[in-house]
Amino acid sequence: GKVETGFSKVDTGLRSQGFGLVLFACDGADGSRAKLVAGRRAGGDPAPPLYSGFTSDQMSLALGRANVIHAGLVKGGMAAAVTKALRRLDDYWGAGAM
């Protein structure tokens, strides 16, 4: 119940300000990423971070589901902890995806 997957659920969660972090597969379609970014802006301030440092295969493996392109983590402690860990990972990789 802390993670939602699929474009529609993630878009809805962004617009209702229910997510603390949104993940987007780096190999996902640019059009759906642009729509999510627009939804993120429409959701109000502060918008949750959007991270795109993983492939859909990596996200699918991590979440135990097939073909995960979009995922939203519900606001709260888990989203904050994952965001912090991803920022450390970005610092290590130098990816700057967040």
Side-chain angles (χ1 to χ4, degrees):
K2 300 283 184 184
V3 179
E4 295 285 343
T5 60
F7 180 84
S8 295
K9 289 180 182 178
V10 172
D11 187 48
T12 300
L14 277 170
R15 292 176 188 279
S16 69
Q17 301 178 12
F19 291 135
L21 173 65
V22 175
L23 304 171
F24 179 81
C26 61
D27 54 348
D30 289 335
S32 64
R33 179 184 171 96
K35 288 178 185 176
L36 281 182
V37 169
R40 180 175 172 241
R41 290 185 185 132
D45 288 330
L50 178 66
Y51 185 81
S52 60
F54 301 116
T55 66
S56 60
D57 287 342
Q58 291 169 325
M59 289 176 54
S60 297
L61 181 63
L63 295 174
R65 298 181 185 181
N67 199 31
V68 176
I69 304 293
H70 316 92
L73 281 70
V74 175
K75 285 183 181 178
M78 186 178 80
V82 172
T83 299
K84 185 177 179 180
L86 290 174
R87 286 194 171 124
R88 285 195 320 262
L89 184 62
D90 264 2
D91 288 344
Y92 178 76
W93 279 347
M98 289 199 80

